[in-house]
């Protein structure tokens, strides 16, 4: 197919890295159809846990455009040294589930993380703030995380959070610049202090975020590329 492209992936968890490997097999010419084809099939088909991660490379905006508008996010898990690009599985009233080929799932409500599946351990559910609360500099709210604990129990972690604006920021996400406000959420509670970051466009759209999941996984990074 020509020179390999693709998805930044350096992983200690092949479950997440395999999608990146599949995409890396496609050509770098954005006119080549296989990039779109592999994105679609990877979202629906289980991938081998024995697959090796692809070399870290950058995807281009032209290659994203070649997928024909498939909803796409960039997902990073820093604690596992992995970055992949994944498609949306389903959506319902602002709640969106984004899944890798092997059914690792991240669920967002209007861009706010509310659960994960397949990361191990998982965030089973969350009582999370709305986007309007996150956009309210000086505002405060409560958060609850329900984390899968030992013996398959759900451990409830409670936090009290405050919002602060870090100002306007022109955010670049893969060759495209967005006008955003960088909001920072500082929470204290059962797991100590956590800090979530949100880059919010006018109208309350979360373009990019850095959100805590649980004490073992830590944070994940999410950027919406095609919504």
């Amino acid at each position: 197919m020509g020179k390999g492209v693709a998805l930044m992936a350096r992983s200690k968890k092949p479950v997440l890295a395999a999608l990146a490997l599949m995409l890396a097999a496609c050509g770098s010419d954005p006119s080549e159809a296989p990039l779109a084809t592999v994105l679609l099939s990877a979202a629906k088909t289980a991938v081998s846990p024995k697959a090796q991660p692809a070399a870290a490379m950058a995807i281009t905006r032209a290659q994203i455009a070649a997928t024909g508008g498939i909803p796409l996010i960039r997902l990073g898990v820093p604690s596992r040294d992995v970055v992949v690009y994944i498609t949306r599985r389903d959506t319902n009233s602002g709640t969106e589930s984004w899944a890798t080929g092997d059914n690792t799932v991240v669920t967002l409500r209007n861009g706010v993380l509310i659960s994960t599946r397949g990361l191990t351990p998982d965030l089973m559910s969350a009582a999370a703030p709305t986007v309007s609360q996150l956009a309210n500099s000086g505002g405060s709210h409560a958060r609850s995380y329900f984390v899968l604990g030992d013996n398959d129990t759900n451990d409830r972690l409670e936090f009290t959070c405050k919002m602060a604006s870090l100002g306007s920021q022109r955010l670049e996400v893969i060759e495209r610049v967005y006008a955003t406000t960088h909001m920072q959420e500082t929470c204290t509670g059962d797991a100590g202090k956590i800090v979530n970051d949100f880059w919010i466009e006018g109208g309350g759209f979360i373009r990019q975020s850095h959100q805590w999941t649980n004490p073992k996984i830590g944070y994940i990074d999410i950027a919406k590329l095609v919504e």
Side-chain angles (χ1 to χ4, degrees):
M1 292 185 184
K3 188 176 180 180
V5 63
L7 301 199
M8 294 176 285
R10 303 172 304 281
S11 176
K12 299 172 185 175
K13 186 176 176 64
V15 169
L16 280 173
L19 177 61
L21 179 64
M22 293 175 72
L23 282 164
C26 297
S28 59
D29 182 348
S31 65
E32 291 188 27
L35 181 58
T37 302
V38 174
L39 269 170
L40 283 169
S41 62
K44 299 175 182 177
T45 307
V47 294
S48 170
K50 296 180 181 180
Q52 296 300 310
M57 297 179 70
I59 191 171
T60 68
R61 184 60 60 174
Q63 288 160 343
I64 293 172
T67 66
I70 299 168
L72 190 67
I73 63 172
R74 180 178 64 201
L75 171 67
V77 186
S79 65
R80 297 207 170 144
D81 196 25
V82 62
V83 179
V84 293
Y85 295 77
I86 59 177
T87 56
R88 188 170 65 201
R89 187 176 70 177
D90 53 56
T91 181
N92 182 24
S93 301
T95 299
E96 300 177 328
S97 294
W98 302 80
T100 65
D102 59 345
N103 211 33
T104 298
V105 181
V106 172
T107 301
L108 310 174
R109 181 178 293 125
N110 297 316
V112 183
L113 179 68
I114 57 172
S115 71
T116 68
R117 294 294 184 273
L119 283 179
T120 311
D122 278 304
L123 173 63
M124 302 306 293
S125 65
T130 64
V131 178
S132 60
Q133 287 176 300
L134 294 173
N136 180 19
S137 182
S140 60
H141 54 265
R143 264 189 182 271
S144 297
Y145 292 86
F146 295 86
V147 177
L148 187 64
D150 296 333
N151 302 316
D152 293 330
T153 59
N154 281 343
D155 297 336
R156 181 171 181 166
L157 303 176
E158 299 282 353
F159 294 87
T160 300
C161 307
K162 294 184 178 180
M163 296 305 306
S165 174
L166 300 187
S168 299
Q169 182 174 342
R170 292 181 62 79
L171 177 71
E172 182 176 354
V173 182
I174 307 185
E175 304 171 28
R176 187 168 292 176
V177 177
Y178 302 91
T180 69
T181 301
H182 183 181
M183 300 299 299
Q184 190 166 82
E185 179 191 29
T186 302
C187 305
T188 55
D190 293 333
K193 178 181 176 181
I194 63 174
V195 179
N196 296 317
D197 290 275
F198 300 88
W199 286 263
I200 303 176
E201 295 179 37
F205 181 83
I206 297 175
R207 174 60 58 185
Q208 181 171 287
S209 62
H210 177 73
Q211 303 187 55
W212 191 78
T213 61
N214 61 58
K216 292 185 178 180
I217 299 294
Y219 294 87
I220 62 174
D221 297 314
I222 302 166
K224 280 205 170 183
L225 308 179
V226 181
E227 54 277 0

